[in-house]
Amino acid sequence: MIESKTWSTDEILATVRRYWGFSELRPLQEQAIRAGLERRDSLVVMPTGGGKSLCYQVPAELEQRTDIVVSPLIALMKDQVDGLRECGYPAGALYSGMPLHAVRTTEEGIAAGRYRLVFVAPERLLTPWFLQLIERLPAPAFAIDEAHCISHWGHDFRPEYRQLAELKTRFPQASMHAYTATATERVRADIVQQLGLKDPAVLIGTFDRPNLVYRVVPRVDAHAQVLQVLQRHPGDASIVYCLSRKDTEGMAEALKENGMRAAFYHAGMEAGDRRRTQDAFAAEEIDVVAATVAFGMGIDRSDVRSVIHAAMPKSIEHYQQETGRAGRDGLEAECVLLYSAADVIRWESLIEKSAAEAGAAPAVMTASRQLLEHVRRFCTGLHCRHRRLSEYFGQAFSKSNCEACDVCLNEVENLADATVTAQKILSCVARTGERFGAEHVVDVLVGANTERMRRWGHDQLSTYGLMKGTERKGLTNMLYQLLDEGLLDRTADDRPVFRLNDESWAVLRGQRQVKLVQPKAKVRKTRFAEESWEGVDRGLFDGLRTLRREVADERAVPAYVVFSDATLRDMARARPGSATALLNVRGVGERKVSDLGPRFLECIAEYSRANGLELDMSAGSRPKRQRSSRKNDAKAAAFQMFAKGAAIEKVTAATGKAPSTVWGYLALFIEAHPSQRLDPWVSQETHQAVAGAVQDLGVAYLKPIFDRLEARVPYEQIRLVIASLKNSA
Ligand code: ADP
């Protein structure tokens, strides 16, 4: 065993604060970090977004050693390294396709012990060249990210991970730390066994993600419904999972036609096209990706605000994994699953087909069917979704109302007259001789005027046109709801038809009541979402996002690497006025304050001045209503005085507000009163000078104007002139 120092919690926190700007650790992070520090093997299972990376980043830094992180995807590795470097944390990576000079630099860095972490793909790790490199390191620890890839019981088995079993033999001194978000017992046991972990600390986090709101909605019109969800998140990142490649293309097309910045992604595309879509998503050039399950692990955008399943996934594990990509920054995000019983049928035939092609054992098919059945029950049952998911993964859920799913938010509506509707549908199935599928049954009910109808004489039936005026898609959905409830059967052959069963007859005889559901038109806002926006100035948040985009473009890194959305919201809430105050914002470490502080502080100060907002709201404070009404009183008083041309000092004295605030009020006043002359506050000469500079330099940035005027005109006056120019324009 290698002796190591015992680190105090304060020492751990000091490092976390310095690099990442977090002032506390999340559940299990400290235990996982300690396992790393003590070099005890560990298996850490945390949901996506739980904060696994910190667990291997901190020990290497505290102990000043070079640890190795095995990661499956190059894109992920690059982003992680970029993100760490932005925090001032020394990290490197080695992967195929890297330019030779970069490989050399990394090699030298490793030899000189310059890095705390080196990221490497599993197939590289065991090459003689790399082994030689790391054999020279004093005593590395290995962190295996996405460790479930080693298990073929997991949903993402990668054969190259199997080689990692050799690590323990080659480096008996080194400790191994496996990280995954996959929860099943079998996969966990497999990881421990395959990696040969010795007496590992097994740390299993809570699987519930309280920031996610889950909704399961009957699918009536996928394109329209997806669009509706996306419209709740304008300009935000979203993923739409579709069942087939063709579906992704159709979905992306439909979204684009409706003005969304969307693209599709599936495994049938050229590698180059796939990468371009992925890069465009990371670079915020597109907001929405319509994808098959192939889109996933390479995405590290933490600000995905909605994950929509346009069709049912094939297992709860998949659902958890895919919805896990929403809200990794801990902010609110929405997961909507559009469900139709038709999906079950489609999946069944896909499973059968692929099993037949692969010559799979019947047991494999039975297992797939069971997984499917779990999702079907999840979709059709009206039970708290958070509870169901937690319980599925073997964890108790203590809340009686999660306040974050369609069921607990009471968004599902029972259809009035459901029993009568069911009777109409079932009797139509009976009258047409139990020989037809959904399309024809619906045709008869709505009274379609088709050749087939006349050929069969179904236009003469008493059920013909019985539900005229009902929307076809809605009606089809009800038919499938009856199937789901076991009130109707469907044959399993190539041309499935509906058949009545005993339950159907019970309904027809009026011996059984039926419940049919339809989504309410409006969804409710969750308390979580409301609270996470409390006190945040939306305009400032948007301004900070734009600035973040600029910085990310300049540095060719994804935006979330600069600051997360959560950090920007905290900034737009606390409105720090100094570097010290900025350091108090969650997610801002020392390097970022020195590196990016001036630009972000300027953006905040400028916006706050222009909008009459105070700076330095105490960290985490939520402005009280009272405060804002007092502010409005002050603003109204100031406006009255401005109308009479009062000087800034007078308004400051009368309102008790800081001069910066009063200047901000004045800019607002000028914008609101286009005919107001600036003379009382800006001399004619200055006005002209600023206007001339604006003509040359534009108004995007004030600094160049300030410099052009040789710092003679204060920013406040420049801002006023711009406000009045905007008015006259
Ligand atoms: P995982 O790998 O488990 O999916 P990450 O390591 O990517 O999760 O972390 C998810 C997000 O949570 C990141 O934005 C990260 O910066 C943030 N985070 C991690 N630890 C903390 C913490 N102690 N306090 C606040 N935010 C944290």
Side-chain angles (χ1 to χ4, degrees):
M1 267 304 240
I2 300 152
E3 278 299 311
S4 62
K5 168 184 166 171
T6 308
W7 296 91
S8 71
T9 304
D10 282 347
E11 284 168 314
I12 294 174
L13 274 175
T15 293
V16 171
R17 207 174 287 130
R18 183 163 145 230
Y19 286 101
W20 296 278
F22 303 136
S23 48
E24 49 202 34
L25 289 170
R26 293 209 181 133
L28 297 189
Q29 278 182 328
E30 180 164 352
Q31 290 98 308
I33 289 170
R34 288 202 178 279
L37 290 169
E38 289 159 13
R39 294 168 182 279
R40 175 175 174 195
D41 287 354
S42 61
L43 168 65
V44 181
V45 188
M46 277 184 197
T48 316
K52 290 185 278 295
S53 340
L54 210 65
C55 307
Y56 54 74
Q57 290 159 350
V58 174
E61 169 57 21
L62 279 170
E63 295 261 304
Q64 290 291 294
R65 57 189 203 215
T66 304
D67 285 353
I68 310 297
V69 185
V70 182
S71 178
L73 287 178
I74 294 172
L76 277 187
M77 252 184 252
K78 282 205 292 216
D79 289 353
Q80 284 228 35
V81 171
D82 284 344
L84 286 170
R85 287 184 179 163
E86 290 293 325
C87 296
Y89 183 109
L94 282 171
Y95 47 86
S96 41
M98 222 166 129
L100 202 60
H101 66 89
V103 175
R104 285 280 127 74
T105 315
T106 312
E107 267 178 6
E108 283 163 19
I110 296 175
R114 257 203 306 276
Y115 302 122
R116 297 288 71 85
L117 289 181
V118 178
F119 291 77
V120 64
E123 60 274 18
R124 282 251 148 170
L125 179 63
L126 293 151
T127 56
W129 161 74
F130 190 74
L131 286 172
Q132 222 179 21
L133 262 180
I134 50 174
E135 263 155 10
R136 275 185 263 147
L137 294 173
F142 292 93
I144 318 293
D145 208 2
E146 314 284 358
H148 58 273
C149 293
I150 204 170
S151 170
H152 65 268
W153 299 110
H155 58 277
D156 198 13
F157 173 56
R158 286 169 186 246
E160 61 278 16
Y161 258 64
R162 279 287 157 95
Q163 306 169 23
L164 301 178
E166 271 181 52
L167 282 176
K168 265 286 178 194
T169 341
R170 283 192 176 260
F171 299 92
Q173 293 279 40
S175 60
M176 303 263 281
H177 307 275
Y179 297 88
T180 178
T182 301
T184 62
E185 190 76 47
R186 201 179 222 180
V187 174
R188 270 182 235 153
D190 211 16
I191 295 173
V192 172
Q193 200 221 334
Q194 299 274 347
L195 288 175
L197 302 186
K198 288 210 188 76
D199 180 31
V202 178
L203 303 166
I204 297 171
T206 308
F207 276 84
D208 185 48
R209 306 266 319 271
N211 59 323
L212 303 188
V213 54
Y214 296 106
R215 298 190 162 98
V216 181
V217 183
R219 186 173 64 240
V220 178
D221 179 344
H223 291 172
Q225 285 173 291
V226 167
L227 200 64
Q228 216 175 29
V229 179
L230 294 175
Q231 279 159 352
R232 296 202 278 270
H233 308 277
D236 283 333
S238 297
I239 304 172
V240 184
Y241 282 108
C242 304
L243 213 141
S244 73
R245 295 172 180 183
K246 209 166 127 244
D247 291 351
T248 66
E249 295 175 12
M251 178 64 72
E253 203 47 52
L255 297 177
K256 279 198 279 195
E257 275 166 19
N258 282 282
M260 296 273 162
R261 300 196 305 167
F264 60 88
Y265 184 103
H266 56 69
M269 290 158 69
E270 294 278 316
D273 291 339
R274 280 212 305 267
R275 204 185 46 247
R276 266 187 290 284
T277 302
Q278 198 154 323
D279 288 349
F281 187 62
E284 297 183 5
E285 284 155 19
I286 50 174
D287 301 319
V288 189
V289 179
T292 58
V293 291
F295 189 61
M297 271 223 286
I299 330 158
D300 216 12
R301 259 187 100 161
S302 64
D303 61 347
V304 173
R305 295 271 81 84
S306 72
V307 169
I308 308 169
H309 283 81
M312 192 183 89
K314 69 171 172 181
S315 71
I316 297 274
E317 282 83 350
H318 280 91
Y319 185 64
Q320 177 83 354
Q321 186 78 17
E322 284 145 24
T323 52
R325 294 182 183 120
R328 293 180 59 158
D329 50 15
L331 297 176
E332 78 286 350
E334 182 176 10
C335 304
V336 179
L337 195 171
L338 301 180
Y339 166 77
S340 158
D343 297 341
V344 181
I345 295 154
R346 215 164 144 200
W347 271 122
E348 270 173 355
S349 78
L350 283 174
I351 290 169
E352 264 161 44
K353 209 168 119 200
S354 70
E357 277 167 14
V364 175
M365 268 176 67
T366 312
S368 302
R369 286 220 182 87
Q370 273 172 7
L371 292 176
L372 202 58
E373 177 58 16
H374 281 293
V375 200
R376 194 192 63 74
R377 269 190 255 149
F378 173 77
C379 294
T380 53
L382 285 183
H383 306 280
C384 168
R385 315 282 180 197
H386 280 268
R387 171 179 294 275
R388 274 291 156 109
L389 289 173
S390 291
E391 289 175 353
Y392 181 83
F393 291 109
Q395 293 192 332
F397 186 76
S398 56
K399 290 185 210 160
S400 59
N401 183 322
C402 73
E403 297 184 61
C405 77
D406 52 345
V407 179
C408 292
L409 289 167
N410 196 15
E411 288 172 354
V412 187
E413 200 161 33
N414 283 323
L415 187 78
D417 303 329
T419 305
V420 175
T421 304
Q423 285 169 339
K424 288 180 182 170
I425 297 172
L426 295 175
S427 94
C428 187
V429 174
R431 302 265 172 208
T432 49
E434 301 178 59
R435 277 184 296 158
F436 294 91
E439 198 179 339
H440 187 70
V441 174
V442 169
D443 270 350
V444 176
L445 283 165
V446 299
N449 180 12
T450 63
E451 197 275 321
R452 194 152 98 127
M453 199 62 62
R454 288 185 291 277
R455 181 155 37 95
W456 287 97
H458 286 170
D459 50 350
Q460 303 303 315
L461 293 177
S462 59
T463 50
Y464 179 76
L466 193 59
M467 296 185 73
K468 214 179 184 111
T470 310
E471 223 219 324
R472 287 187 59 96
K473 284 180 175 166
L475 192 52
T476 311
N477 180 269
M478 286 180 223
L479 192 62
Y480 281 115
Q481 283 191 47
L482 294 176
L483 184 68
D484 266 333
E485 292 293 309
L487 303 177
L488 190 60
D489 285 345
R490 192 172 187 266
T491 56
D493 46 37
D494 279 355
R495 291 189 51 246
V497 299
F498 288 107
R499 293 264 165 81
L500 301 183
N501 58 25
D502 291 349
E503 295 303 317
S504 327
W505 287 109
V507 175
L508 283 168
R509 288 195 205 99
Q511 292 158 342
R512 210 193 135 142
Q513 293 297 303
V514 179
K515 258 193 184 174
L516 291 170
V517 295
Q518 57 181 8
K520 279 185 185 168
K522 270 205 155 150
V523 298
R524 285 176 54 192
K525 234 197 172 129
T526 64
R527 193 149 59 111
F528 189 97
E530 267 169 16
E531 282 176 5
S532 76
W533 276 110
E534 216 169 283
V536 178
D537 187 291
R538 288 260 187 172
L540 178 52
F541 175 73
D542 289 341
L544 292 170
R545 264 181 94 175
T546 308
L547 175 57
R548 174 178 70 177
R549 179 74 269 148
E550 271 168 38
V551 173
D553 285 345
E554 285 163 18
R555 299 177 180 204
V557 293
Y560 55 84
V561 156
V562 178
F563 283 126
S564 73
D565 267 20
T567 297
L568 293 191
R569 273 196 215 175
D570 276 355
M571 267 189 215
R573 179 184 287 124
R575 297 197 288 277
S578 65
T580 325
L582 184 60
L583 197 55
N584 281 333
V585 171
R586 197 168 34 147
V588 187
E590 283 173 15
R591 164 66 76 95
K592 289 200 177 157
V593 169
S594 60
D595 185 20
L596 301 169
R599 283 170 83 176
F600 280 81
L601 286 170
E602 190 195 325
C603 174
I604 295 166
E606 205 174 286
Y607 179 91
S608 303
R609 226 170 354 229
N611 291 284
L613 298 169
E614 290 168 49
L615 290 178
D616 292 321
M617 312 292 289
S618 60
S621 81
R622 314 266 191 247
K624 301 275 174 291
R625 280 226 169 74
Q626 226 184 348
R627 180 196 279 275
S628 91
S629 75
R630 244 190 285 139
K631 188 180 81 192
N632 285 339
D633 292 348
K635 193 166 113 186
F639 271 34
Q640 278 180 6
M641 294 180 78
F642 294 141
K644 293 179 195 148
I648 295 291
E649 302 74 42
K650 277 205 169 147
V651 182
T652 313
T655 57
K657 292 283 166 198
S660 60
T661 309
V662 173
W663 277 105
Y665 289 163
L666 181 54
L668 288 178
F669 176 80
I670 299 294
E671 276 172 28
H673 299 82
S675 56
Q676 176 68 46
R677 292 180 62 88
L678 292 187
D679 306 17
W681 307 284
V682 180
S683 73
Q684 198 65 38
E685 188 195 348
T686 304
H687 193 151
Q688 271 164 10
V690 176
V694 165
Q695 206 156 38
D696 289 352
L697 302 166
V699 293
Y701 297 100
L702 302 191
K703 180 95 175 34
I705 303 173
F706 183 78
D707 290 344
R708 164 74 67 90
L709 303 171
E710 291 162 337
R712 276 178 292 112
V713 183
Y715 277 107
E716 288 84 0
Q717 295 195 351
I718 297 177
R719 224 167 265 119
L720 278 194
V721 176
I722 291 176
S724 91
L725 288 174
K726 274 190 193 152
N727 275 339
S728 49

